[in-house]
Amino acid sequence: MRRSGLAFGGFCAVSAALSSSAALAQDGGVRIVFGLENRLEISRNDRLAVPAGGTNIRDETRLSLGLSSSREIDQLEFSASGALIAENGTDGPGTQFTFGREAIDLTYHREIPAAVFDFGASYRNDDVDEFDDDLTGIDETGTRTDTGLSTRLETGRTSSVGFALGASYRSTDYQDTTDPDLNDSTEVTADVAMILHASEVATGRVGLRFSRLDEDDLATTRTDTRTAYAALDYSLSERLDLAAEIGYVESEVEELGVIDRTTGPDLSLGLTYDMPVGTALALFRITTDADEGQRETFEIGRDLETPAATISARLGVTHADVGGTDLIGRLQIGYALPDGALGLTLERGTSYDDEPVTTSRAAINWSKSVNELSSISLDLSYELRDAASERIEQVSFGAGYQHKLTADWALDTGVGYRIRNDGDGHAESPTLFVSISRSFDFRP
């Protein structure tokens, strides 16, 4: 079931306790965090269906475990969570009891002056529509399981010549879905590079990248992508830095035994300038994709941070062989108030999903501390996905109240409302939730 706005509040409280364990573990040693949350949520037409669906009641008890270890040369982070779910709604008769929303993450980082080693592993099983905020997946049913492994090694950091090697594996499996476009897939990537430390202001790289994507669709599609590149990072002055990469990419897509080959450039040129407050940047990029063809993008940007505000702005233009020319950009503003915070986001982008797609989003969020124990918050967003096949508009509103019951227990409650217009018609979905959570942490 997809949630909206501040309906995520209770879970965020537990997640924050886990994610903050890394920062708190910087003092050294091992830190363990246990999290407990019970959340009751009532929503109507939670999948924004047309015609409208019924009322869904869900009670979710989530347990979580986080472990962090920080030493002089390495850091380890581990987290695991799962939930016991009781649900009475439109997916089946009566009340259903399940254990789900399993998630496991492991990261390890080891660094010495001459080398760096990273390893990561992840596992997640949840409802399909909980994995992303793509507007097209609002009514998807079934479950999805993601598994991932990654590792990277860089050596010779104190020598004139070094090497970097990396590899990753990712699989996605679907169960009990109704959308024929949701297909199981596996992706394997590998890269190797030689790093040339020419001087204190210049670093060069020469390398190869490879990826293979296998999709379990009717055509048993396999996509191989190979890229050869050379890159340079150079400090032109004390304030101006240059990052350039020139590459050549070759993609082979095999469907039903027929191979379609695409070749072209893959290059980027970026400049970053340190200003008295923040930085200014410019980026030019050319990419080649097997489906979309060649795309050229140029962006300028500005990042600055003051005691009262943080601003990040990007404005650019992009052109693709298939979709033509579009304006893109992003503006994010965070403003600290005397007793709260105010945030604003405006963004417009383009992508390719069997056809050119333009996405736009505007969001504003506000929070205020009522007193030392309580706070309130408001969220409002507008999203637009515009494609030739369908135009989707969605407005989401959320209002929440947070209260610290004791030093360890927290109460989070709120309401949400979503309005959607798409090819099927007009849909609305109200939501009400209340949750109580606690985290326990100690150092063994």
Side-chain angles (χ1 to χ4, degrees):
M1 178 181 63
R2 183 176 297 273
R3 301 170 182 165
S4 65
L6 295 169
F8 283 110
F11 170 61
C12 291
V14 179
S15 300
L18 293 177
S19 61
S20 64
S21 60
L24 295 175
Q26 295 301 317
D27 297 335
V30 178
R31 182 171 185 260
I32 300 176
V33 179
F34 293 97
L36 171 65
E37 179 199 15
N38 182 262
R39 175 193 180 94
L40 176 65
E41 180 173 295
I42 304 173
S43 60
R44 181 171 59 82
N45 193 25
D46 60 292
R47 290 197 172 96
L48 291 169
V50 179
T55 299
N56 190 83
I57 302 174
R58 171 181 291 206
D59 184 81
E60 181 177 311
T61 302
R62 177 182 292 269
L63 300 175
S64 57
L65 167 68
L67 183 148
S68 296
S69 174
S70 177
R71 300 187 301 177
E72 184 178 351
I73 62 172
D74 61 4
Q75 294 84 41
L76 172 70
E77 289 185 55
F78 172 81
S79 65
S81 63
L84 178 63
I85 304 168
E87 186 169 13
N88 189 316
T90 57
D91 290 339
T95 301
Q96 300 178 357
F97 294 89
T98 59
F99 184 84
R101 302 198 183 282
E102 304 101 327
I104 300 174
D105 283 287
L106 171 68
T107 61
Y108 177 74
H109 175 81
R110 182 179 179 88
E111 181 174 352
I112 59 176
V116 174
F117 173 74
D118 287 288
F119 175 80
S122 64
Y123 171 86
R124 183 182 176 190
N125 178 270
D126 208 334
D127 294 339
V128 171
D129 58 2
E130 290 288 341
F131 275 80
D132 56 53
D133 293 325
D134 186 356
L135 294 181
T136 60
I138 195 70
D139 57 352
E140 291 173 349
T141 60
T143 59
R144 169 176 162 177
T145 302
D146 279 4
T147 305
L149 293 170
S150 65
T151 183
R152 185 165 186 82
L153 173 66
E154 181 181 341
T155 64
R157 298 203 307 162
T158 57
S159 306
S160 58
V161 178
F163 293 91
L165 301 95
S168 68
Y169 168 85
R170 179 180 176 87
S171 69
T172 298
D173 298 306
Y174 295 96
Q175 303 87 32
D176 303 323
T177 59
T178 56
D179 188 343
D181 294 329
L182 298 179
N183 301 299
D184 297 347
S185 65
T186 59
E187 184 175 17
V188 177
T189 66
D191 66 271
V192 59
M194 181 175 65
I195 304 174
L196 308 174
H197 302 286
S199 66
E200 293 183 357
V201 297
T203 300
R205 298 183 305 279
V206 179
L208 298 171
R209 304 188 189 102
F210 171 79
S211 69
R212 167 167 289 183
L213 175 64
D214 290 304
E215 300 175 77
D216 190 16
D217 54 7
L218 294 177
T220 60
T221 305
R222 187 192 71 188
T223 304
D224 289 341
T225 304
R226 293 174 287 270
T227 305
Y229 70 93
L232 173 67
D233 296 328
Y234 186 73
S235 297
L236 299 173
S237 68
E238 292 184 356
R239 291 189 173 185
L240 184 62
D241 294 327
L242 167 71
E245 180 176 309
I246 300 176
Y248 182 81
V249 60
E250 179 184 68
S251 297
E252 291 184 354
V253 180
E254 181 178 347
E255 295 179 316
L256 299 175
V258 179
I259 297 177
D260 183 19
R261 182 177 288 105
T262 302
T263 60
D266 185 2
L267 61 89
S268 64
L269 177 64
L271 292 171
T272 303
Y273 184 74
D274 293 330
M275 304 187 71
V277 178
T279 59
L281 59 90
L283 174 65
F284 176 70
R285 182 79 192 271
I286 298 179
T287 58
T288 302
D289 182 80
D291 294 325
E292 189 180 20
Q294 186 169 304
R295 176 178 288 276
E296 301 91 21
T297 302
F298 176 72
E299 286 183 280
I300 57 174
R302 181 79 165 90
D303 295 323
L304 61 90
E305 185 173 349
T306 67
T310 300
I311 300 175
S312 177
R314 301 288 186 272
L315 181 63
V317 62
T318 184
H319 173 80
D321 294 340
V322 178
T325 303
D326 275 299
L327 186 69
I328 59 174
R330 184 182 75 251
L331 174 65
Q332 292 180 310
I333 301 176
Y335 190 77
L337 303 173
D339 54 357
L342 179 66
L344 173 67
T345 300
L346 299 172
E347 54 188 351
R348 174 185 167 89
T350 61
S351 61
Y352 188 85
D353 184 12
D354 296 327
E355 62 180 340
V357 179
T358 301
T359 57
S360 304
R361 181 174 182 268
I364 185 169
N365 53 79
W366 170 80
S367 63
K368 175 181 173 62
S369 297
V370 180
N371 51 46
E372 294 182 355
L373 300 177
S374 303
S375 63
I376 57 176
S377 54
L378 295 173
D379 286 339
L380 178 64
S381 67
Y382 169 81
E383 298 174 87
L384 170 65
R385 185 184 190 273
D386 197 0
S389 61
E390 186 179 31
R391 177 185 173 94
I392 304 173
E393 291 180 286
Q394 184 167 310
V395 177
S396 302
F397 168 79
Y401 172 75
Q402 302 81 37
H403 183 75
K404 194 171 184 180
L405 299 173
T406 68
D408 300 313
W409 290 93
L411 174 71
D412 191 1
T413 184
V415 296
Y417 203 90
R418 291 174 296 159
I419 302 173
R420 178 184 173 96
N421 292 287
D422 58 20
D424 294 330
H426 178 84
E428 299 181 9
S429 174
T431 300
L432 170 67
F433 80 93
V434 60
S435 74
I436 184 170
S437 60
R438 173 172 181 173
S439 62
F440 313 80
D441 65 276
F442 66 94
R443 296 180 182 272

